Amino acid sequence: MTKQVFLRAFTVTCGLLVFAGCKSETAMNAQKDSVVVLDYGDAARRPLRYQIQDGLMTTSTLEIATSSMTTTSKDGEDLTKAPTLRFVVSSGPAIKLPTGNVRLEVRIVDAEAVVPEGFDPEVERDFKQSAALLLEAGGSIEVDDRGNTIRSELNEAAKNPNVPVRLIMTIIHARTSLARIVFPAAPVGLGAVWEARQQLKLYGFEIQRVDRYTLIDRNADDVKLRVDIAHRAPEQTLTFAEKGVELELKSLSTTARGDVLLNVKALEGNARVEGRATEVLSVKTGESAERIELNSAFKLRMDVSYEASTR
């Protein structure tokens, strides 16, 4: 597989590892409630609400590791372990608004690509350069007490034309969904199950998602949730004019499962998620075309400390 095709395929894979609760580019500020409660749980039901106080800060470390079996029309099968992407993100200080919502700044204070031994030197260089460009990128978000993102805005560093926008949006979406789960409007008890259902348009791709949450445990302000994720995408074509690349997506399926442990008085939670994704696409660059089938396994972990970053 050519360097260009590999990088594009990896970007697509990263872009599709967007977990539950994310907002689309076109509907970031939508007010429609996407939560459907399937089971309200046991009889001891209470509302789930965030209780964020002024001035709160958190620092989190996000790691995404991916391995893929890639089958191409030119080169046959190739098992690839992609670089582990590691990001340290500072959130806050939280500002309590008159509406009861909370506004906070979020920025990447450290970023690196941990490249496996024997990796193509040119590809290794490109991944490390992309990670370095993400430093200080971020923005501001406003969330309500159920975890809904009301509005968001990228900062100037994130608007730099050299920043890998699709990668940074992947980070933002993954963190938003796993750090701040959207809660149901109604009170729920242990064993409660709810789903977030949404049609997304992500980086131009249309994606259908159903993300299911199960309330496993609740102790004072601490909440443990099981999350099951299913994403599908219809056949579609997307052109990246700036790269001279056309992607024709034939099929896409992503499933994942994991646990989220959060404190309702904190800005973010800890998460562990593992999943698989299958994509079949045709990549056209200039006059050449290549059919690619990606069967990927991925792991994501996020660890939070409830203090300001020293970076």
Side-chain angles (χ1 to χ4, degrees), residues 5-308:
V5 170
F6 177 84
L7 287 172
R8 181 55 57 197
F10 182 76
T11 300
V12 173
T13 302
C14 281
L16 296 172
L17 298 184
V18 179
F19 302 102
C22 69
K23 305 294 185 290
S24 72
E25 294 171 323
T26 57
M28 182 68 76
N29 302 325
Q31 298 298 310
K32 183 178 179 181
D33 194 346
S34 64
V35 174
V36 177
V37 179
L38 304 179
D39 187 334
Y40 287 90
D42 65 24
R45 298 172 184 171
R46 292 178 291 158
L48 281 170
R49 296 293 185 270
Y50 292 98
Q51 304 166 37
I52 308 301
Q53 301 300 313
D54 267 331
L56 188 63
M57 298 281 297
T58 62
T59 301
S60 62
T61 301
L62 172 67
E63 290 189 359
I64 304 172
T66 306
S67 60
S68 301
M69 173 63 77
T70 306
T71 305
T72 73
S73 55
K74 293 182 180 179
D75 301 325
E77 291 187 346
D78 181 27
L79 179 62
T80 302
K81 183 178 180 181
T84 296
L85 302 175
R86 182 180 298 133
F87 309 95
V88 178
V89 182
S90 174
S91 300
I95 301 173
K96 196 81 170 181
L97 302 176
T99 59
N101 296 342
V102 171
R103 185 172 66 236
L104 62 145
E105 300 295 321
V106 180
R107 64 186 178 93
I108 297 171
V109 295
D110 193 19
E112 63 176 325
V114 182
V115 181
E117 187 176 346
F119 215 65
D120 184 296
E122 287 188 84
V123 180
E124 177 180 354
R125 182 195 62 206
D126 287 348
F127 274 115
K128 289 187 174 181
Q129 287 178 347
S130 293
L133 285 169
L134 292 172
L135 287 176
E136 298 303 320
S140 63
I141 62 172
E142 179 183 336
V143 295
D144 65 15
D145 63 357
R146 287 179 53 206
N148 291 299
T149 299
I150 305 304
R151 58 180 56 85
S152 63
E153 183 179 358
L154 295 176
N155 63 14
E156 290 304 313
K159 294 176 183 178
N160 182 328
N162 294 320
V163 166
V165 175
R166 297 176 191 89
L167 182 54
I168 193 173
M169 291 303 292
T170 299
I171 298 164
I172 293 171
H173 288 159
R175 291 186 69 264
T176 300
S177 61
L178 294 174
R180 286 176 292 277
I181 301 297
V182 179
F183 295 144
V188 293
L190 292 181
V193 181
W194 65 93
E195 289 183 346
R197 305 171 181 175
Q198 198 170 19
Q199 295 283 122
L200 303 176
K201 190 168 185 181
L202 178 67
Y203 314 138
F205 282 114
E206 294 180 2
I207 299 175
Q208 304 160 354
R209 73 172 183 86
V210 178
D211 303 308
R212 178 174 294 191
Y213 302 97
T214 303
L215 181 57
I216 301 299
D217 194 15
R218 185 174 185 177
N219 182 15
D221 298 322
D222 294 318
V223 176
K224 183 177 182 180
L225 297 162
R226 171 67 44 79
V227 55
D228 291 280
I229 297 158
H231 291 178
R232 302 287 186 273
E235 188 170 338
Q236 54 200 288
T237 300
L238 185 63
T239 300
F240 297 95
E242 75 280 8
K243 299 294 184 181
V245 176
E246 180 181 276
L247 291 177
E248 185 177 350
L249 183 66
K250 302 294 186 180
S251 64
L252 177 140
S253 174
T254 301
T255 58
R257 165 170 275 208
D259 294 320
V260 178
L261 181 63
L262 56 84
N263 186 296
V264 296
K265 292 184 177 180
L267 292 174
E268 300 172 354
N270 297 284
R272 301 287 186 277
V273 172
E274 295 187 19
R276 304 194 68 85
T278 300
E279 302 111 52
V280 178
L281 61 154
S282 175
V283 181
K284 297 180 182 179
T285 56
E287 297 181 357
S288 65
E290 187 167 7
R291 185 180 186 275
I292 301 173
E293 181 176 340
L294 290 167
N295 291 285
S296 304
F298 59 86
K299 295 182 179 181
L300 183 148
R301 61 180 291 168
M302 184 163 59
D303 296 305
V304 175
S305 63
Y306 302 111
E307 57 189 19

